[in-house]
Amino acid sequence: MDYKDAGVNIDEGNKFVEMIKPIAKATMKSGVLNGIGGFGALYQLTDYKNPVLVSGTDGVGTKLKIAFMMKKYDTIGIDLVAMCVNDVIVSGAKPLFFLDYFATGKLQSDVGIEVIRGIAAGCSEAECALIGGETAELPGMYNEGEFDLAGFAVGAVEKDEIIDGRNIEVGDAIIGLASSGIHSNGYSLVRKVLFDLGKMSTDDYVEEYGLSLGEVILKPTRIYVKAFKSLKGISIKGMAHITGGGFIDNIPRTLKDGVSAKLDKNSWDVPHIFKLIKDIGKIDDMEMYRTFNMGIGMIIIVPSHQCDDAINRLKAAGEKPFIIGEIVNGKKEVLL
């Protein structure tokens, strides 16, 4: 807890730290030597012969604004973990541990605990330990009742098992894993389209989901760690986490020179929320695919002869996979 600024309630801060210790403790795993409470968290790397550490850091952007509007804070921590660990696994790494940064003008323990419980839930889903973080009280920096979040994940992969796209070949299959919704990107546009242009509110009922609009757009980002682990033995040649930049900017990051990803837009289900945003905002297809995940949160490139096996494993792991395209000759771009 950062007590440097005037006006900080030290007693509240100490109480908060004691409250989060058991929450974090529930995520501990072998390798953690010490966790919450020290100046630094210690993790002993075991079970690797030639390990490479892979790190990822991110936040949840203006999706926080939706949480503030709804006064619902129990899932935003899941988003935070997801944004970091999903980036880590695309290199072939298994997440090991996670740290968070929670900053607010005035600490409200009940809100903070909901956020931390969400982070812990995300860590449990990602099979990594919440081993530390920073809670900063910064008077004057944030509007009343608001806060900011950032996270940091570290994973490890054997050096000869790094996924970097170098082995991608023409004819390889592209598998897409269904997203849970908008995930955590494009929310500035979401708010402008739905609330400003569409004059909607978070309480509006969305018949297609049987939920309020707020519940639909606050649904947490899907974590794909278990899906990735289910593919052990499959020759994964490339992976892409579909975040800011959508399909257009993210998929080329895993491609090597001389190939492109040819996708069939009719091969998966595009959730209704994206159609709603497109229609109200009068946004063209290319911009939608450049901004949003459009129903696919992760893509995995595998040899065509292993595609059926991979699909079956992913289904058994609880995922909804689609064969969405193939690798073709090209200029390291996405062909829709």
Side-chain angles (χ1 to χ4, degrees), residues 18-250:
E18 291 305 310
M19 291 171 71
I20 66 175
K21 282 183 179 179
I23 298 173
K25 186 177 180 180
T27 70
M28 292 300 112
K29 57 189 287 187
S30 63
V32 178
L33 301 184
N34 81 325
I36 303 292
F39 287 98
L42 306 182
Y43 191 98
Q44 182 177 17
L45 196 61
T46 59
D47 302 325
Y48 288 88
K49 296 177 181 178
N50 192 15
V52 173
L53 295 180
V54 180
S55 60
T57 186
D58 212 332
V60 295
T62 59
K63 188 172 186 177
L64 282 170
K65 290 284 189 181
I66 310 301
F68 300 152
M69 292 166 69
M70 297 182 67
K71 299 188 184 304
K72 187 178 188 312
Y73 311 106
D74 58 336
T75 60
I76 204 75
I78 299 174
D79 288 291
L80 183 66
V81 176
M83 292 301 289
C84 296
V85 299
N86 286 344
D87 278 353
V88 166
I89 63 174
V90 299
S91 295
K94 296 177 182 177
L96 300 173
F97 58 84
F98 187 86
L99 298 96
D100 70 277
Y101 175 77
F102 178 95
T104 185
K106 181 176 177 58
L107 179 64
Q108 296 176 287
S109 290
D110 55 341
V111 172
I113 288 298
E114 282 194 61
V115 173
I116 299 299
R117 282 187 177 137
I119 293 172
C123 285
S124 294
E125 176 66 20
E127 300 179 357
C128 67
L130 174 59
I131 62 172
E134 167 73 356
T135 303
E137 199 169 38
L138 307 173
M141 283 288 289
Y142 301 94
N143 293 329
E144 184 177 352
E146 296 191 355
F147 55 84
D148 197 11
L149 281 177
F152 183 85
V154 172
V157 58
E158 295 287 2
K159 189 173 183 179
D160 61 0
E161 295 178 4
I162 293 173
I163 298 171
D164 58 11
R166 72 177 67 185
N167 296 319
I168 292 175
E169 298 175 327
V170 171
D172 287 339
I174 303 173
I175 297 172
L177 301 185
S179 67
S180 56
I182 301 174
H183 283 186
S184 296
N185 294 100
Y187 275 81
S188 294
L189 181 57
V190 168
R191 290 185 295 112
K192 180 177 179 59
V193 169
L194 298 182
F195 302 141
D196 295 344
L197 298 179
K199 305 301 181 184
M200 300 181 74
S201 79
T202 56
D203 293 329
D204 287 350
Y205 182 72
V206 184
E207 186 175 353
E208 288 78 4
Y209 293 93
L211 300 168
S212 71
L213 178 63
E215 290 172 318
V216 173
I217 61 179
L218 197 60
K219 193 168 184 179
T221 305
R222 192 160 182 82
I223 292 173
Y224 297 104
V225 173
K226 291 179 181 176
F228 164 66
K229 289 185 176 181
S230 75
L231 296 179
K232 184 176 182 181
I234 297 287
S235 179
I236 301 176
K237 296 188 175 185
M239 293 180 69
H241 183 198
I242 309 303
T243 56
F247 286 76
I248 307 304
D249 292 340
N250 284 298

Side-chain angles (χ1 to χ4, degrees), residues 275-293:
K275 298 173 184 177
L276 188 65
I277 293 167
K278 174 180 169 61
D279 290 345
I280 293 176
K282 295 180 172 57
I283 304 170
D284 65 41
D285 271 1
M286 190 58 65
E287 186 62 25
M288 290 296 294
Y289 282 90
R290 187 182 295 278
T291 304
F292 300 108
N293 67 61

